[in-house]
Amino acid sequence: MPNTKLAVRADETPWTAAETKEVRSELEGDLARLRVELDASARELQDLLRDGVDGAGNDQADVGSKGLERDAEMSLRANQSELLLQTEKALDRLEKGTYGQCEVCGEAIGKNRLMAFPRATLCMTCKQREERR
């Protein structure tokens, strides 16, 4: 990691090497877990698609159930993919020394917020503004 200081709010202490290491370790662990989950999800989805939902020889309830299961698996996979991208992005920001800096206004996101959700890219003000849209 570069020798730059990570962004902190005025009422916070600077990031320590131990805190940075802890966040990096958590993100790297999440990255590994998400990759395994995505692989398993891809296999599950492939099995569901292979079995098909055309209804040949199945009653309507079976067809509906398979369709719902497929849709749920696709939604789960999409969520896992998004989380994986956010995790990779957070690790990249850590590497570049921009971790903790809001992507919209450039202000510090806040250590407590990042400790709770290490993938955060927006400060609370910008996040609230985004959610109101």
Side-chain angles (χ1 to χ4, degrees):
M1 187 170 97
N3 258 350
T4 57
K5 289 185 177 182
L6 298 178
V8 292
R9 296 181 347 184
D11 60 341
E12 297 174 327
T13 59
W15 285 89
T16 65
E19 289 170 332
T20 304
K21 184 178 179 180
E22 181 181 335
V23 168
R24 180 184 303 280
S25 178
E26 180 181 345
L27 287 167
E28 288 172 344
D30 287 349
L31 192 63
R33 177 186 52 80
L34 285 165
R35 286 181 175 150
V36 168
E37 288 176 3
L38 272 168
D39 285 345
S41 177
R43 285 190 300 276
E44 177 75 21
L45 186 57
Q46 191 172 15
D47 290 345
L48 286 169
L49 292 173
R50 188 177 332 112
D51 291 343
V53 292
D54 62 1
N58 294 323
D59 64 23
Q60 285 182 320
D62 287 341
V63 172
S65 178
K66 285 182 182 179
L68 285 173
E69 189 177 352
R70 182 199 64 227
D71 291 348
E73 194 63 37
M74 289 173 68
S75 179
L76 178 64
R77 182 162 169 71
N79 290 339
Q80 289 169 325
S81 293
E82 178 62 27
L83 200 53
L84 179 79
L85 290 173
Q86 289 175 3
T87 303
E88 290 172 338
K89 191 175 177 182
L91 283 166
D92 185 55
R93 288 193 323 271
L94 254 176
E95 192 63 36
K96 291 178 178 175
T98 58
Y99 187 76
Q101 188 175 359
C102 178
E103 290 184 341
V104 173
C105 69
E107 296 295 319
I109 292 172
K111 279 174 62 175
N112 287 336
R113 177 164 164 70
L114 288 166
M115 294 281 217
F117 186 68
R119 294 163 201 81
T121 59
L122 303 175
C123 67
M124 286 301 293
T125 303
C126 291
K127 183 64 175 174
Q128 289 169 344
R129 194 175 304 132
E130 178 187 83
E131 289 177 351
R132 277 187 239 135
R133 290 182 192 160

